[in-house]
């Protein structure tokens, strides 16, 4: 029954070094979340299909992994769909559960389901994998972790201020200095659309504007034109394409463009509030930048929109994002609960830290001491010492077999274990240990307490 | 589109307190695994169906969650199965992936797939969820975590000795004192079956014997008889049913029963080796006990069999188990790689610690300080102090809205936050903070450094 084993495309095995590095990032983010007062929750890997379907648009529905019902699932198959062999129609009758697609919808479901146990405003964080049947490509996987922090139950802009501080805190702790926290506001985008007479084409307008960095001014204009936005309207946008300078000077330009839009003015006010607070409070290593082209292609943001870019010397795209959505839980029948949140992109952060060599050396959880096995009597003597080392928190182990010395030393070398202990007959009778430093080659014959000190 | 939200049966949401308690157990186990030299790996949540199907018996195959292929999955449906509406036959043609059922088979797959990167013996641990379409009941879930440590690539019995120490280490660290580590050996069971002339009925024999605790001697004998084991053979078993006393005295009895079986004698030798080593090394709070009825209903163990029971004052069944399997990777074409491993039952350990009130108080990750919000000017002043508190690792936050004082104080009370800070106009102008201890009601107006000291 031999098979050549492999794993599904878009999924990954993680070896010990990768797990340790990923946990370093998770732990840093988790620590910051908790210091900022966020509390952890966890939700099931699969939800009832009803909970997920229809929440991410048509494309999202397609990308959700569905779980086949157990047992004789065809006995409940939709007859019409079955007879016409219509996969799309058949699915809901043979599959009741689906894998989590993001952490936001399950969170909204959690808040509504547990509303009587929750004290609003509720600050939660959640670090769990999600699954998407996307076409795998470099940096895009079918199973990946999301790290989300959200607050529900308050419209206060102080929360936007805190999320900017939180980004700054996490990336500073990761020693990834110089990240750019871009901010925009959906109300600015609505205001602009209003001013150019394209309020009914807000989505087309923002989708086009969002591409400015990638395809440039001319192509953005052409796309807008093709979507039915008037030449006259597009001409009014001209100041946007050249908007630059400090946060404050951009705000001033926006005021002159958006003077006739109430919604636009509200957006400017919100941005100015956040900018003033952050200027007063200061950031450690990050920079806050206004970017009016930022739309994140997402339709559910209603206020602030965030996106984090890597420092200029690294090309990686966004390593985090988020925003304000005024009716998070409405999809589950609980109205008027505003939410705001941010997310960290683990996989990209990992790649950036690796590229810039920013993982601390101590992240490696390697074994520190290997005891060479010369036979049962010596092994037993060694295990007594190993007990002591472990009590002191020193990662140590016995080579399990009394194999040839050379083989055991090779094993230590290949695993880059820094210390080896040799216990032969002589050591047992004199109650000592020969400690070898595998880097320097130095050897010392010492009692147990000295051994522990030397390793420490 | 209002729906009453719920989650699939057999799955769970975890609230902040539950997550914190679960992480306390995970972290304790992880710490012990690493001190003992085990390295972490992670594998994908779903595997190719080929990897899992046929590895857990017929019942296992039924209980594996299958993932529906994406897109027009019916276009590749097996025609015969489709025409006859045969669910069982159709599955493999519309589903290529399945959710992880345990951590052992994915580990075997990992070892074979990555054999060129791995240095044997390889000590790995893995803490990840698994999924089973079992009928949910009290304490049995469709999604639950397994915590496994295994070594592959050596037959040394020192590994069995280390796993017993590892169990002792973890449960001592969890303050769950007095657990009983039961041990048996498949070779003992084979030897007994041989001696009573039932070698060809080893599985039936062990399955029946395994039930001794639950259904008693008479019913076990009846079951064996019904499975075709002779009366004469069963009579020879009599000493087994009354086997008691110390490990050593049980070993002596077994020697007299198993004198004619080579395999039985080998099993006795292995048990005696382990017992002697553990007696020499000592255990902190656990007890090692020989239990010849222990079979764990599993067919793949070839040597040692482990099971951990709670202390006598708690009724919970097994909270851990494991054993030796001589051909772990054979299913994937890599022969003669012996493995031995143990597992911890997170959910049951959680219930036991809860029942015995053994979770440390500090496990709760609650916010320590809430700053009351009296308006934007005061909020900004407060956030500067909050920055400092967070740098000191003190979990603190600002109430986001300038709501009525009473509402904010109620919020602090409901969340059991121990300290509240009041910052009004007066505090801002005198650069001080009024700190209120929510338990004692005491209030102090102090500068920032004194505030930090008082909270600490």
């Amino acid at each position: 029954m031999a098979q050549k084993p492999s794993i599904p495309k878009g999924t990954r095995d993680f070896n010990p070094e990768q797990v340790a590095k990923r946990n370093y990032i998770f732990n840093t983010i988790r620590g910051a979340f908790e210091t900022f007062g966020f509390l952890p929750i966890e939700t099931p890997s699969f939800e009832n299909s009803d909970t997920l379907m229809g929440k991410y648009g048509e494309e999202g529905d397609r990308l959700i992994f569905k779980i086949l019902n157990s047992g004789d699932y065809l006995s409940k198959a939709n007859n019409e769909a079955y007879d016409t062999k219509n996969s799309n129609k058949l699915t809901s009758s043979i599959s009741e559960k689906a894998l989590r697609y993001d952490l936001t919808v399950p969170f909204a479901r959690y808040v509504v389901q547990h509303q009587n146990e929750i004290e609003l405003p509720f600050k939660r964080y959640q670090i769990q994998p999600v699954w998407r049947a996307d076409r795998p490509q470099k940096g895009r996987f079918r199973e990946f972790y999301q790290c989300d922090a959200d607050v529900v139950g308050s419209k206060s802009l102080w929360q936007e201020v805190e999320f900017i501080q939180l980004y700054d805190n996490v990336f500073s702790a990761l020693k990834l200095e110089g990240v750019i926290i871009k901010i925009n506001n959906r109300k600015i985008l609505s205001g602009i659309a209003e001013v150019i007479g394209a309020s009914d084409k807000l989505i087309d307008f923002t989708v086009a504007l969002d591409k400015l960095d990638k395809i440039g001014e001319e192509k953005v204009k052409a796309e807008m034109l093709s979507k039915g936005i008037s030449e006259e309207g597009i001409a009014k946008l001209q100041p946007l394409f050249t908007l630059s300078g400090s946060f404050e000077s951009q705000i001033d330009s926006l005021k002159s463009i958006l003077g006739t839009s109430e919604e636009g003015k509200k957006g400017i006010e919100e941005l100015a509030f956040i900018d003033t607070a952050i200027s007063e409070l200061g950031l450690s290593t990050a920079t806050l930048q206004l970017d009016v082209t930022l739309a994140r292609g997402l339709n559910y943001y209603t206020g602030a929109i965030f996106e984090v870019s890597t420092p200029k010397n690294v090309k990686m795209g966004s390593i985090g994002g988020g925003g304000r959505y005024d009716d998070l839980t409405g999809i589950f029948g609980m109205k008027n609960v505003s939410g705001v949140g941010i997310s960290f992109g683990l996989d990209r952060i990992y790649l950036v830290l690796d590229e810039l060599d920013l993982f601390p050396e101590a992240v490696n959880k390697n074994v520190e001491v290997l005891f060479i096995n010369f036979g049962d009597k010596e092994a037993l003597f060694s295990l007594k010492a190993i007990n002591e080392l472990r009590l002191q928190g020193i990662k140590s182990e016995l080579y399990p077999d009394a194999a040839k010395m050379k083989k055991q030393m090779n094993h230590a070398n290949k695993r880059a274990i820094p210390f080896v202990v040799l216990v032969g007959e002589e050591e047992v009778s004199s109650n000592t240990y020969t400690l070898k430093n595998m880097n320097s080659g130095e050897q010392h014959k010492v009692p147990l307490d000295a051994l522990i000190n030397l390793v420490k």
Side-chain angles (χ1 to χ4, degrees), chain A residues 76 198 224 288 413 416 429:
Chain A
K76 290 184 184 165
M224 288 181 178
L288 181 66
N413 265 325
S429 62

Side-chain angles (χ1 to χ4, degrees), chain A residues 49 53 91 130 156 186 193-194 205 218 227 263 267 280 285 325 328 364 379 386 399 420 441-442 447 449:
Chain A
S49 298
M53 297 300 282
T91 303
V130 301
S156 164
R186 162 71 172 252
E194 184 188 333
F205 163 73
E218 291 314 313
K227 295 286 180 184
E263 192 167 11
E280 279 283 332
T285 66
Y325 29 90
L328 174 67
N364 194 346
I386 290 172
Y399 192 88
V420 155
E442 258 183 280
D449 50 353

Side-chain angles (χ1 to χ4, degrees), chain A residues 261-359:
Chain A
S261 160
E262 282 312 307
E263 192 167 11
K265 283 197 279 188
K266 184 84 178 70
I268 291 173
E269 206 177 282
E270 291 186 11
L271 282 174
F273 178 92
I274 294 165
D275 177 49
T276 305
I278 290 295
S279 302
E280 279 283 332
L281 292 165
L283 295 177
S284 299
T285 66
T287 309
L288 181 66
Q289 211 169 78
L290 175 56
D291 180 354
V292 290
T293 68
L294 182 66
R296 302 204 84 228
L298 286 167
N299 307 328
Y300 56 86
Y301 292 131
T302 52
I305 302 172
F306 297 114
E307 191 167 280
V308 183
S309 307
T310 48
K312 287 184 189 112
N313 55 335
V314 193
K315 284 219 170 357
M316 187 61 73
S318 130
I319 52 175
R324 162 82 63 180
Y325 29 90
D326 270 340
D327 192 21
L328 174 67
T329 55
I331 45 172
F332 299 112
M334 187 176 170
K335 297 288 177 198
N336 295 320
V337 178
S338 185
V340 54
I342 62 172
S343 191
F344 288 81
L346 172 80
D347 288 306
R348 286 189 178 174
I349 293 172
Y350 184 105
L351 291 171
V352 172
L353 296 190
D354 227 20
E355 186 177 331
L356 299 179
D357 207 10
L358 291 177
F359 283 110

